[in-house]
Amino acid sequence: MIKAILIFNNHGKPRLSKFYEHYSEDTEQQIIRETFHLVSKRDENVCNFLEGGMLIGGSDYRLIYRHYATLYFVFCVDSSESELGILDLIQVFVETLDKCFENVCELDLIFHVDKVHNILAEMVMGGMVLETNMNEIITQVDSQNKMEKSEQSP
Amino acid sequence: MALKIVKGSIDRMFDKNLQDLVRGIRNHKEDEAKYISTCIDEIKQELKQDNIAVKANAVCKLTYLQMLGYDVSWAAFNIVEVMSSSKFTYKRIGYLAASQCFHESTDVIMLTTNQIRKDLSSPNQYDTGVALTGLSCFVTPDLARDLANDIMTLMSHTKPYIRKKAVLIMYKVFLKYPESLRPAFPRLKEKLEDPDPGVQSAAVNVICELARRNPKNYLSLAPLFFKLMTSSTNNWVLIKIIKLFGALTPLEPRLGKKLIEPLTNLIHSTSAMSLLYECVNTVIAGHDVNGSPFLPPFSLALFLFLRFQLCVQKLRILIEDSDQNLKYLGLLAMSKILKTHPKSVQSHKDLILQCLDDKDESIRLRALDLLYGMVSKKNLMEIVKKLMLHVDKAEGTTYRDELLTKIIDICSQSNYQYITNFEWYISILVELTRLEGTRHGHLIASQMLDVAIRVKAIRVFAVAQMATLLDNAHLMTGNVQRKGICEVLYAAAWICGEFSEHLENPMQTLEAMLRPKVATLPGHIQAVYVQNAAKLFATLLKNQEGNTDRTAAQETSQLMIDRLPLFVQSANLEVQERASCILQLVKYIQKLQQKDVEVAEEVIALFAGELNPVAPKAQKKVPVPEGLDLDAWINEPPSESESEDEQPKAIFAKEEPKHSRARHTEVDEKELAKRREARKQEQANNPFYIKASPSSQKVYQEAPGVEHIPVVQIDLSVPLKVPGLPMSDQYVKLEEERRQKERVEKKKKEKKKRKEKRGGRGKKHDSGPESEEDITPAHMVDIVTEEMPLADSEKLPVRSHRAAEALKSPAEDGDAESPASQEPKKKSSKEKREKKKDKDGDRKVSVKNGNPTRETALWMYIYGAEIDIQGNLQDGSQVVVSVIFENKCDNFLKTMEFNVLDSLNSKLQRPEGSGPHDGLSVPFQLPPGVSNEARFVFTMQSIVMPQKLKGTLTFIIKDSSTHEKLDFKLHFTCSSYLITTPCYSDAFAKLLESGDLKCSSVRLEGVNMPFHHLLARICFHHHFSVVERIDSCASMYSRSIQGHHVCLLVKTSGQTVSIDAKCDEPTLLGNVLDEIKQTFSQC
């Protein structure tokens, strides 16, 4: 199970947060801060797995993250997920964003966080991986966007 | 109508949308909070409007603000309104907001039930999809109960998009409403075979999650998963299934052997690291049932063992990888092996120690975990020394504290099994007290106490060290940050008091314990100080009265009387009580002293009696007094209502009621007596059971003193008498010398023996440079287990250390450094090197030493001539041979060169520019005891015939810098050219019908093994895969690297096995069949 998915930038500003378990708003912010603190002090060429984080997790949980330019993508998962598999999933997520936004950059995520949520919803649902095939994800996202457009201009 | 729409869009033109909000926030960096609060006010206005578009826009902005940490639960009702919009655009905004901020205690959720039900049955698949996604985040027990049926119907929806979402959400429904599991399960099971891979994957996902909670209930699905595993190509699904099998195999050992074949196939065929890693992990998990391979037949056990070794080797490759992720995962998997097969991991010590130096903390922590199981008597000091270096270097207290606990864990594991020199250990503990700001003072303290009490021989040394600690107590208490560490003083004071007879200068210690500064320590430590000052006082009195020096004794009493009032005023009750008691006692003693009465004997009687270790289960031996019922409740038992609350969870984990307690009481006296008798019998018959001989024990107990303790003499060779704190490093050196001496001694004896037996066996079987048992400990711990019967005196007997052996060691210490004694050692270690004899060569390409009498320093295994799977389609003529080099000697090996004499048919691939006879240099050097793998690529012209290639390996032994040579033969079997390729039965049938294939057959007689083992053997050794199996008949398939099809039909009746085979290359087929015959003739 995936417990949370966080995206924040190099300064710890949240760009997307998705918790699959309920926390109060304050705790959520604390978790984001703590995760940022843990992840940001790591060098570029160290491994992508982290244990610890007092707030989220416990011994069964692990933080798996990737760092792209200005953004950190962090998944908090338990031992039922394959570590390398999740790393691949993050890659798929980013590539999908890249396709949907055409050369994605941090600004896209800043201004269109709702769209990012919609894309993520096609990949992960309620903490479980729904789809890993990028083409399938893009097809579904596109056809939903088309529907939205047709509603806008009657 | 049209006007209304226009009006709506004009309204919206003036509203801020999400982008405007974000831009606004970015422009108001200075007063962000203020800006946002005005925005929230605007949003509140917008929510009051009737226009749903405006509301949706407002909700969308709220979702963004929620991410920034603002509470938006006040808008919950508006979110529900937006959710119920008929337009998909708004509905989606509503559901997203709901999924971000609704939770079980959001009260408006109950309003949504009907809306969600409507959306679920909407003709538009995306309405349904959005509702399912939203619901997955905020489903409550009520929603789950009300909607379970609707979702269950959706599981058979025509659109796979809906089906997969419905299947996935069922897991959340089960969690919230467990009663739904039973009716939904058959349908869920059906979905495992859904034609759409996405739905299949979702179903696997859900069942894996369910099975993680209670694997037992899902064992029955194993065959279905097994089928999926062999047919699926989706790595995600495969990983989940393999993980699931990892959880199931411990419950059902038979499953393990079924898994061998598909897992082996996957390990060989997959290019995805993630999948490979999970396969290896599951093989490990399957392997560790009861620590032994789970198959009774020997052949398969061996097979598994080889496979397992391969896995460990693969892990090593992972850890050596430059990719830090693989390194981390490799270490993680190693720690799983460690629990069951510490030996396999121990050989990779070098690598793991190397990881301790890694810059990555995640990796360092994992490596630390591994260290625990890798220590032995031989390497403990070395490892701890390394850790101590890390302690000094470590920045950040968490990592340092982790190191500290690990050092103590490692040293104290299984009753200090690996510690040979407790002086060294005490020094380590003392060094650890110098750490800044550690939280683990109590841990160090308890270790000090434990060691001092249980290792009698160490007490003199420990007391001296503790006295120094007490003297320097100000170093520990001076700084507030060091609060945790002052716990150590508790141990120090107690040890000095209890074993005060060993103190060199008790007066000085007594003064140190009564310093005014002690009053700043925590209460419980002060209490120990006071109590032990009294013990010290008693000892002092005895010494001083013995000297007939009255004034000294009186001065001591005076010191006590002067200093104790400080503690009498303590706010801590314990301290106060003890201090006032002892103060009165001393005053009374002083009175007697003034009358010239000898009091020492009586005072010392206050603290008489030696502390002896007691077995953990000693309590059991105490008879229960009559009339005492231990099972009766003292108070009324707590009400059961609490446990009923947790009832719903039972469906996932039906725990059997535990009967352990009842079982305990069933063991009656008779049974116990019977067991005791049986144990005695067993001990008598066991040659390795060392019986405690009563005589030696008596001697030991009679001697209260120091002269029996060999350590004292060892002491002489180390300048430890220098006041101050000890250096553990010196012990490492000392220990090395001691061991070397022992080794030399042993060698001498051996040599003598050999001389006597001259002309006997040339090859002497001797294990490695030094085996575990060779190391005699300098001190022994008193280990008391329940096995030891109580002696009549109610005293538990203690194992004495081997006095004779230990007494010898100090005398030898002196001449260890002389070069003369090292000479014989070198010589004999060379003799020890043993040649690798290859017996289990089936899959291995056997390496045969050309000259069997030569001494070689290398072990060389060549594991399966594995086919380079990546290259085979473009280039069907390449074979990769992995060679594992293991250095079995004591010296560093370098400049290794691997060379093979090329034949017409096969050539070793050499880098461009080198001649056809040049050797390939092996890209690493080998420190002693280390193994590493290198790969060599061969090019083959024709693969229809088996090949034998001669080769040599040259290398230089570093210290002697002589060139050594090792001859070997590489045997390429035809089977090694085959690659396991799965084949479907229809394709197989077509292939047989095509008629291009030549026939051949072979009969095997006297094969006495179950049919499935036979098949597994063929699969493993000859790289076939089973296409179909009906009763005692199976069809198998494999492909060569050059694309030849090989088909087998294996039939068995009784002990006869007939194999009919078809292949488009008759020579290859003939050779493969010969090899199969060979395999079975060996068993």
Side-chain angles (χ1 to χ4, degrees), chain B residues 377 411-420 422 772 781 783:
Chain B
K377 283 180 184 168
C411 292
S412 63
Q413 65 175 311
S414 25
N415 276 318
Y416 307 100
Q417 192 189 344
Y418 300 116
I419 296 187
T420 50
F422 278 94
E772 276 290 279
V781 201
I783 299 169

Side-chain angles (χ1 to χ4, degrees), chain A residues 135-152:
Chain A
N135 294 331
E136 172 71 16
I137 299 166
I138 290 173
T139 321
Q140 301 298 350
V141 170
D142 280 350
S143 55
Q144 288 179 51
N145 289 344
K146 244 177 242 161
M147 236 177 92
E148 201 175 281
K149 269 200 189 122
S150 68
E151 281 178 352
Q152 300 294 336

Side-chain angles (χ1 to χ4, degrees), chain B residues 605-658:
Chain B
L606 281 175
F607 308 106
E610 201 188 344
L611 202 66
N612 275 315
V614 176
K617 290 179 183 166
Q619 180 72 42
K620 264 195 188 166
K621 317 240 176 199
V622 180
V624 179
E626 251 177 81
L628 176 64
D629 182 7
L630 287 174
D631 288 331
W633 286 100
I634 297 171
N635 296 313
E636 277 305 299
S639 69
E640 308 251 305
S641 61
E642 272 171 87
S643 57
E644 262 167 14
D645 287 345
E646 289 173 18
Q647 209 66 52
K649 279 184 185 161
I651 191 134
F652 293 112
K654 273 184 204 142
E655 276 181 44
E656 309 253 321
K658 281 174 187 147

Side-chain angles (χ1 to χ4, degrees), chain B residues 242-260:
Chain B
I242 289 166
K243 270 191 179 274
L244 174 73
F245 277 132
L248 293 184
T249 35
L251 299 172
E252 177 53 73
R254 278 175 300 171
L255 194 58
K257 76 184 166 193
K258 277 239 172 198
L259 284 173
I260 302 164

Side-chain angles (χ1 to χ4, degrees), chain B residues 331-343:
Chain B
L331 289 170
L332 195 67
M334 278 264 187
S335 64
K336 284 182 197 160
I337 301 180
L338 184 68
K339 285 179 199 134
T340 50
H341 294 78
K343 282 254 166 66

Side-chain angles (χ1 to χ4, degrees), chain A residues 17-18 22 29 42 47-49 51 62 78-80 111 122 126 131-132 140 143 147-148 151, chain B residues 19 67 69 88-89 92 100 103 124 126 161 164 172 205 209 212 236 243 325 328 360 362 366:
Chain A
S17 66
K18 182 89 206 166
H22 176 70
Q29 292 305 307
R42 292 173 64 80
C47 75
N48 299 74
F49 314 119
E51 284 149 79
R62 226 177 284 283
D78 68 11
S79 61
S80 73
F111 287 108
E122 295 302 322
E131 184 60 66
T132 54
Q140 301 298 350
S143 55
M147 236 177 92
E148 201 175 281
E151 281 178 352
Chain B
Q19 282 74 28
M67 181 181 79
F88 172 72
T89 319
R92 182 154 79 163
Q100 290 295 85
H103 50 94
N124 181 343
Y126 291 116
Y161 178 73
K164 73 179 174 192
K172 293 274 171 166
N205 222 331
E209 284 296 334
R212 237 163 68 85
W236 266 94
K243 270 191 179 274
N325 289 334
Y328 174 88
D360 190 344
S362 297
R366 284 265 76 88

Side-chain angles (χ1 to χ4, degrees), chain B residues 490-771:
Chain B
Y490 177 99
W494 191 88
I495 292 171
C496 283
E498 182 67 25
F499 307 118
S500 49
E501 69 269 20
H502 302 308
L503 269 177
E504 222 170 85
N505 192 347
M507 195 62 202
Q508 191 189 342
T509 311
L510 183 64
E511 265 178 67
M513 281 168 82
L514 293 173
R515 275 183 206 145
K517 243 197 151 172
V518 172
T520 57
L521 289 172
H524 65 284
I525 298 179
Q526 283 186 55
V528 169
Y529 263 69
V530 172
Q531 184 74 16
N532 286 287
K535 291 185 198 166
L536 249 174
F537 172 65
T539 322
L540 265 172
L541 274 187
K542 196 184 167 206
N543 292 350
Q544 289 164 342
E545 279 186 4
N547 292 346
T548 62
D549 186 359
R550 293 282 153 77
T551 47
Q554 282 179 12
E555 271 167 24
T556 318
S557 310
Q558 193 55 47
L559 179 77
M560 292 288 281
I561 291 169
D562 288 347
R563 298 283 175 86
L564 279 174
L566 178 72
F567 298 100
V568 178
Q569 295 158 10
S570 170
N572 187 297
L573 282 181
E574 181 85 11
V575 180
Q576 191 198 31
E577 210 168 27
R578 288 184 194 220
S580 64
C581 235
I582 290 164
L583 183 60
Q584 285 314 311
L585 182 74
V586 178
K587 279 183 181 164
Y588 181 66
I589 291 169
Q590 196 183 31
K591 240 186 251 169
L592 290 176
Q593 277 176 334
Q594 280 158 2
K595 290 180 195 160
D596 273 351
V597 182
E598 299 239 330
V599 282
E601 282 305 322
E602 285 160 53
V603 178
I604 215 140
L606 281 175
F607 308 106
E610 201 188 344
L611 202 66
N612 275 315
V614 176
K617 290 179 183 166
Q619 180 72 42
K620 264 195 188 166
K621 317 240 176 199
V622 180
V624 179
E626 251 177 81
L628 176 64
D629 182 7
L630 287 174
D631 288 331
W633 286 100
I634 297 171
N635 296 313
E636 277 305 299
S639 69
E640 308 251 305
S641 61
E642 272 171 87
S643 57
E644 262 167 14
D645 287 345
E646 289 173 18
Q647 209 66 52
K649 279 184 185 161
I651 191 134
F652 293 112
K654 273 184 204 142
E655 276 181 44
E656 309 253 321
K658 281 174 187 147
H659 297 295
S660 55
R661 196 170 188 197
R663 220 177 293 150
H664 257 299
T665 51
E666 276 163 25
V667 183
D668 60 351
E669 238 349 91
K670 250 187 209 167
E671 176 68 22
L672 273 177
K674 220 160 99 196
R675 283 189 202 168
R676 206 173 296 135
E677 199 50 51
R679 195 171 57 227
K680 270 184 195 160
Q681 198 69 35
E682 197 184 322
Q683 283 170 2
N685 293 335
N686 187 351
F688 299 110
Y689 183 82
I690 302 167
K691 287 153 212 126
S693 76
S695 58
S696 73
Q697 195 178 312
K698 220 189 242 165
V699 168
Y700 185 77
Q701 280 174 347
E702 275 167 10
V706 192
E707 54 281 313
H708 276 259
I709 300 160
V711 197
V712 182
Q713 282 147 306
I714 291 181
D715 228 353
L716 297 172
S717 58
V718 193
L720 269 174
K721 292 284 153 75
V722 184
L725 299 169
M727 283 305 297
S728 57
D729 285 359
Q730 290 165 330
Y731 288 100
V732 180
K733 227 170 110 194
L734 189 76
E735 183 68 14
E736 269 166 22
E737 282 166 15
R738 189 174 74 89
R739 282 180 198 168
Q740 202 164 46
K741 202 96 34 52
E742 269 164 25
R743 240 177 287 157
V744 172
E745 190 72 9
K746 211 170 258 174
K747 297 267 156 60
K748 275 183 192 158
K749 273 188 211 155
E750 253 167 50
K751 234 180 159 185
K752 243 188 220 162
K753 263 188 215 160
R754 224 174 287 169
K755 262 184 199 162
E756 287 161 13
K757 270 198 212 167
R758 192 177 292 165
R761 269 174 293 158
K763 262 199 288 178
K764 181 106 173 75
H765 246 283
D766 212 336
S767 57
E770 182 175 22
S771 71

Side-chain angles (χ1 to χ4, degrees), chain B residues 354-373:
Chain B
Q354 213 175 303
C355 288
L356 273 185
D357 294 324
D358 203 284
K359 58 183 179 301
D360 190 344
E361 195 173 299
S362 297
I363 287 175
R364 286 203 305 261
L365 284 173
R366 284 265 76 88
L368 262 185
D369 272 357
L370 277 172
L371 271 186
Y372 180 78

